[in-house]
Structure formats: C-alpha cells, structure tokens
Amino acid sequence: MMSIGLYGPLIGRLYHRFGARLVSFLGSVICIAGLIATSEASNLYVMYVTYGALFGFGSSCVFMVTYMAVPRYFTKWRSLSLGLIAMGPGGGLFIMSPIVQLLFERFGWRGTFLSMAGIDITMCVLAFVYRPIVLDYDKEELNTKKQKEDKKFWDISILKHRVFVLSSLAGTIYYLAHYIPPVHMVSLKHVIGTQCVRAEGVRCTVVKVAQE
C-alpha cells in the first residue's frame, strides 16, 4: 500500500497516456523482474530495492490499473465490479498464504520467490484482456481546446481541493498501522504458545485460538 501511495500519481498519468493494457503488462514484467532479482539478493538492503521498490512499483501498476479500468466497462454492475476487485487482496492472501508456505518449506525462500515470479507470468497474459474503450465523456474531453493545449505530464492542481487532501492524509495515517497486525501475528502466536506451555495447568481460549 505504501508503494501505491508513492507511485500512484505517476501510474495514473501513465494509465491515461498509454492505456490499461500496456501499463498492466509492463507492471507484470517489472513484478517478475523484481521477484527474480529478490531471489538472488545477498542481504536485506538489496531486498528493499528489488522487492520493496521494484516489485512494489510493478504490483502498484497492476493493482491501480484494475481499479481505474474495470469500472469503465460497467454501468449497472459497477458497484459489484468494484466490490469483487476489493475482495481480491484479502481473498488472494487467504489462498496464497498456505501455497507460499508450502513453497518455502519445499524450495526455500529463494525458490519461493522464483516460483512467485513464475506465477506472475499469468498477469502478463491477463493484461491483454483489457479491451480499449472510449466513453462519450472521454470523446468530449479530447475535442475540447483545453485538452489539446494541455501538454503537461504532471498536474498538481488537484492539491487545491481540500477534501481530496484531507482524504489522502486520512488514508496515509490509516495505512501506517494497517499491516502491523499481520506482520506481528505469527511472532505473537509463538510467544503466546511458549507462555502457555510454561504455565502449568493454565488454559486460555484465546491462546487455543491463536495456536490453531
């Protein structure tokens, strides 16, 4: 999510300039390159670059393009399409977590990253599912004189809107703590399990749930 916040404005401009297919495809290729490079990383600082920056940018391209492009294909079912997209990260985490764990136990962490790179090849194919579409209001914007004269790649005029700025700040503060529970949940489980073993005759429902 941090990478989405950092790369979001750039990805939005790339999407409007080059379209969903190209940005999503290149993002998938960058994801694969980042995972392969991470599998060869020699230390954690290299992984910050290969996985955090490189893979983060590629995955942000795929993720943001999905949110921007898919609703344009629907009118009646637009809310449902957005809801299904929103289910993707949580559902994917639920499905992929045990798969990644099995890959890690079988091939180690380097082999796991390579396997994930192989899985991400499917995204390169799925990127071409995006069908070019031009809506009526897009045609009107393209025909306006202002649209023809505007050659700037960056447009920061949106920062003048207070509602947008406040919403962005609120989202930033929210996501600062959003992933703290998943990151520390496994270590907390081991701590609780160790304490439960050492405490003789003490049984706690919360501990049992954590251990399961």
Side-chain angles (χ1 to χ4, degrees), residues 47-168:
M47 296 181 69
Y48 286 151
V49 177
T50 58
Y51 190 79
L54 190 61
F55 176 80
F57 177 74
S59 61
S60 296
C61 288
V62 177
F63 186 77
M64 288 196 62
V65 166
T66 303
Y67 269 100
M68 290 185 289
V70 172
R72 297 167 63 88
Y73 295 97
F74 299 93
T75 301
K76 180 179 179 181
W77 303 106
R78 182 169 298 167
S79 299
L80 178 60
S81 66
L82 285 171
L84 293 175
I85 294 173
M87 291 172 57
L93 184 64
F94 181 79
I95 296 173
M96 289 301 299
S97 294
I99 296 177
V100 172
Q101 179 64 30
L102 291 174
L103 292 173
F104 176 75
E105 294 174 356
R106 182 71 180 273
F107 303 108
W109 69 270
R110 295 185 186 274
T112 301
F113 278 109
L114 287 175
S115 300
M116 292 170 61
I119 295 174
D120 282 359
I121 293 177
T122 57
M123 295 193 305
C124 295
V125 179
L126 294 176
F128 292 96
V129 174
Y130 290 116
R131 178 171 52 88
I133 181 173
V134 179
L135 302 178
D136 293 337
Y137 60 82
D138 291 333
K139 296 178 181 179
E140 294 176 0
E141 290 182 357
L142 291 174
N143 291 330
T144 59
K145 182 178 179 181
K146 182 179 180 180
Q147 184 73 16
K148 294 179 180 179
E149 294 177 351
D150 187 10
K151 301 297 183 180
K152 296 186 299 182
F153 188 80
W154 294 102
D155 185 6
I156 60 174
S157 61
I158 193 173
L159 296 178
K160 297 179 181 179
H161 298 273
R162 295 181 179 180
V163 176
F164 171 79
V165 174
L166 291 175
S167 300
S168 299

Side-chain angles (χ1 to χ4, degrees), residues 3 7 10-11 14 21-39 49-62 113 116-118 120-121 123-124 127:
S3 61
Y7 302 128
L10 174 60
I11 296 172
L14 291 175
R21 281 184 176 179
L22 182 59
V23 175
S24 184
F25 176 78
L26 293 179
S28 302
V29 174
I30 294 174
C31 283
I32 296 171
L35 291 171
I36 294 175
T38 303
S39 68
V49 177
T50 58
Y51 190 79
L54 190 61
F55 176 80
F57 177 74
S59 61
S60 296
C61 288
V62 177
F113 278 109
M116 292 170 61
D120 282 359
I121 293 177
M123 295 193 305
C124 295

